[in-house]
Amino acid sequence: MSDIASRVKAIIVDKLGVDENEVVPEGSFTNDLGADSLDTVELIMEFEKEFDIQIPDDQAENIATVGQAIQYIEEAKK
Amino acid sequence: MELKRVVVTGLGALTPIGNTVEEYWNALIAGKSGAAPVTHFDAEKFKTRFACELKDFTVTDFIDRKSARKMDKFSQYAMVASDEAIVDSKLDLDAVNKLRVGVIWGAGIGGLETFQEEMMNFAKGDGTPKFNPFFIPKMIADIAPGNISIKYGFMGPNYTTVSACASSANAMIDALNNIRLGHCDVIVTGGSEAAVTIAGMGGFNAMHAMSTRNDDPQSASRPFDATRDGFVLGEGAGAIVLEEYEHAKARGAKIYAELVGGGLSSDAYHMTAPHPEGIGVVAVMKNCLENAGMQPEDVDHINTHGTSTPLGDVAELKAITEIFGTHAKNININSTKSMTGHLLGAAGAIEAIASILAMEHGIVPPTINHTTADENIDPSLNLTLNKPQKRDVKVAMSNTFGFGGHNACVLFKKLD
């Protein structure tokens, strides 16, 4: 697993209080990992802080799964 | 229409001297102080460096980490105390009509630490707002009863009353009236506060309201003593299940006492100072007795507001003498704030619980730390100094007064 992927995973485990094994690439924050709308906003903010990036709201709307988050951040950090 | 009778069927307490009702009561009659150096933050540069914090309290022993993270401490404390009270009431949560169960809570401030953290983070940045989405819903004072209703599915009236240190007495009185009028069968009431923070301690210190007896924190809260120098800040929660009498009787509930009346008034005088003639304080006790349909001579015990401030303590006792006349000297008067410190919006709740337990056990907890008589206080008053006293308490009053001049008073009666 890439460094980015493991850091993303750690944030999700911490913020959503889920088991590490549940955090799979296809896992949806709201449907699989129990996040509500405020949790999702908080996750995006944590990603921004951890990776020192800006995720505009219109793009944040497209980040709904673990895999999408990792992919977005990997692109942004290139 | 005939008013319904309202009784107490459940108690919960999370206090600086005990984390359950049983521990709280044992500490009250042992005369234990909850004061100690502040641990929640580095208070080295503060004028007051001690407070009555909770001891040995780990929130995740009670609430899962994910839920706890979304609550300010004042909400966490509310959850823990209300859980204890609801369990104690033995209310059948599957059988009760949840549309007729309310939660009316008191909080003087709300999520002060959450507010403080978010603003400190903002101040560290470049002006770009990066607020946590849980900032507002964690901080707002009404979220504590909201969280309780979400956990239990109680769909009756739900709100927080805010009147500084009178908040939870206001909540109890609103709960009383809602049940009296037949709007609800059961209301979970009480209050919580978590103001032992940089902003809370700094703010109260700036008002010169708190004791600065840093060399001996445990003796700092000394209501009615000539050498008192201000209140000691406390934190925690108290919860009381109030229930319509017939509803409680029908399910065979244990009834601690009847809440027979509540009084409200305002000083209309000063933002923080008590009225020198105690007009509002006289009015509130008078209103309370009238509301309960009782006479001054009926009262056996008064748990005073008694915060250990120079002006407030004397004004309250003068008002008691004015209302109760020659009967005043027969009353067991105390201030349990000498042990718990001042829990602000939770004070009314934990002190009402102390009064109810005094009734239950036939013992009035002491006003500790008394060493020097104040010449402005009538020596014939029984202030239950330093040691608990046996007393068959049939009727007990509990006073609370808040900054802003808000006065609230409740009266409990032992059931025959």
Side-chain angles (χ1 to χ4, degrees):
Chain A
M1 193 168 31
S2 74
D3 169 56
I4 286 175
S6 65
R7 283 157 72 193
V8 165
K9 208 167 159 177
I11 288 170
I12 295 167
V13 167
D14 178 50
K15 296 297 169 192
L16 300 185
V18 289
D19 197 81
E20 213 179 308
N21 302 326
E22 295 175 68
V23 189
V24 292
E26 60 277 19
S28 153
F29 298 137
T30 51
N31 297 331
D32 302 318
L33 299 171
D36 63 21
S37 58
L38 296 180
D39 289 317
T40 316
V41 176
E42 193 184 31
L43 278 181
I44 297 293
M45 287 180 58
E46 288 300 318
F47 297 149
E48 289 181 327
K49 199 160 79 184
E50 174 73 17
F51 298 102
D52 194 23
I53 54 172
Q54 295 295 324
I55 307 178
D57 286 351
D58 57 340
Q59 293 180 35
E61 283 166 18
N62 300 325
I63 303 174
T65 68
V66 178
Q68 285 166 353
I70 294 168
Q71 195 186 349
Y72 183 91
I73 295 161
E74 280 173 346
E75 285 295 318
K77 294 303 281 182
K78 261 181 192 167
Chain B
M1 106 184 224
E2 201 184 326
L3 294 178
K4 312 270 190 197
R5 292 173 68 187
V6 180
V7 292
V8 175
T9 57
L11 301 176
L14 178 63
T15 77
I17 58 171
N19 294 354
T20 62
V21 169
E22 192 186 351
E23 284 176 24
Y24 174 48
W25 175 250
N26 290 338
L28 282 174
I29 52 169
K32 185 175 156 187
S33 165
V38 168
T39 65
H40 290 341
F41 65 93
D42 179 2
E44 197 197 326
K45 293 184 177 165
F46 282 60
K47 268 196 295 191
T48 299
R49 299 184 287 279
F50 61 94
C52 288
E53 296 177 342
L54 298 181
K55 318 282 184 302
D56 306 318
F57 174 72
T58 306
V59 67
T60 46
D61 291 347
F62 301 90
I63 307 170
D64 70 86
R65 199 187 64 86
K66 187 185 172 194
S67 305
R69 209 174 58 75
K70 296 180 184 178
M71 294 178 197
D72 184 89
K73 280 181 188 159
F74 95 103
S75 262
Q76 296 174 353
Y77 299 168
M79 296 306 286
V80 174
S82 59
D83 282 350
E84 186 187 10
I86 291 164
V87 169
D88 183 44
S89 75
K90 299 191 168 61
L91 203 61
D92 183 343
L93 295 169
D94 295 322
V96 74
N97 178 358
K98 290 182 182 171
L99 289 164
R100 292 182 55 81
V101 182
V103 186
I104 303 181
W105 203 252
I109 301 175
L112 189 58
E113 188 170 67
T114 298
F115 187 85
Q116 175 189 297
E117 275 175 11
E118 290 290 325
M119 293 316 295
M120 283 165 82
N121 281 338
F122 178 72
K124 276 184 219 152
D126 64 358
T128 310
K130 287 281 179 189
F131 292 101
N132 188 287
F134 294 103
F135 167 29
I136 300 294
K138 270 173 79 174
M139 173 204 72
I140 46 180
D142 55 287
I143 201 68
N147 282 326
I148 295 169
S149 73
I150 292 163
K151 173 165 182 179
Y152 288 99
F154 297 151
M155 296 175 72
N158 191 288
Y159 56 91
T160 286
T161 52
V162 181
S163 50
C165 313
S167 298
S168 52
N170 267 98
M172 283 186 271
I173 294 169
D174 273 16
L176 166 69
N177 288 332
N178 266 287
I179 300 174
R180 268 178 169 171
L181 293 170
H183 299 324
C184 297
D185 298 325
V186 179
I187 295 183
V188 179
T189 185
S192 57
E193 204 77 78
V196 184
T197 62
I198 294 167
M201 293 283 288
F204 283 117
N205 256 166
M207 293 168 63
H208 298 282
M210 290 197 298
S211 169
T212 53
R213 203 178 290 267
N214 292 301
D215 57 342
D216 189 11
Q218 298 222 326
S219 81
S221 186
R222 44 176 64 210
F224 316 127
D225 189 273
T227 61
R228 65 191 183 276
D229 71 331
F231 75 81
V232 177
L233 189 58
E235 62 171 355
I240 297 174
V241 175
L242 291 179
E243 188 166 352
E244 193 271 316
Y245 177 56
E246 296 298 335
H247 190 274
K249 225 169 58 172
R251 68 180 185 89
K254 173 183 171 164
I255 295 174
Y256 285 92
E258 180 171 1
L259 176 52
V260 284
L264 297 168
S265 78
S266 172
D267 276 7
Y269 171 70
H270 185 270
M271 283 170 77
T272 57
H275 193 292
E277 285 150 48
I279 294 172
V281 176
V282 169
V284 81
M285 287 188 273
K286 197 161 167 269
N287 292 346
C288 184
L289 287 166
E290 277 175 17
N291 187 259
M294 302 199 86
Q295 300 302 316
E297 294 71 32
D298 296 328
V299 176
D300 303 302
H301 166 44
I302 302 176
N303 188 311
T304 60
H305 186 57
T307 56
S308 188
T309 55
L311 292 177
D313 290 9
V314 170
E316 183 174 9
L317 293 180
K318 279 187 177 156
I320 287 173
T321 303
E322 187 170 333
I323 288 281
F324 292 92
T326 53
H327 178 65
K329 65 179 190 313
N330 304 326
I331 301 174
N332 263 105
I333 297 168
N334 74 352
S335 169
T336 45
K337 285 191 183 81
S338 58
M339 295 173 271
T340 61
H342 190 356
L343 271 66
L344 309 178
I350 67 159
E351 287 158 26
I353 292 169
S355 307
I356 293 163
L357 294 172
M359 229 174 238
E360 166 110 344
H361 295 277
I363 305 172
V364 175
T367 307
I368 67 164
N369 293 324
H370 193 274
T371 56
T372 315
D374 179 342
E375 58 181 20
N376 299 307
I377 291 175
D378 178 354
S380 74
L381 295 174
N382 178 3
L383 302 173
T384 322
L385 298 174
N386 299 325
K387 282 185 182 147
Q389 291 178 15
K390 280 194 179 165
R391 174 78 183 248
D392 180 17
V393 179
K394 292 194 174 69
V395 175
M397 181 178 262
S398 177
N399 279 338
T400 54
F401 316 132
F403 285 152
H406 323 287
N407 308 308
C409 172
V410 288
L411 198 67
F412 294 95
K413 181 176 179 285
K414 205 172 187 170
L415 241 61
D416 298 324

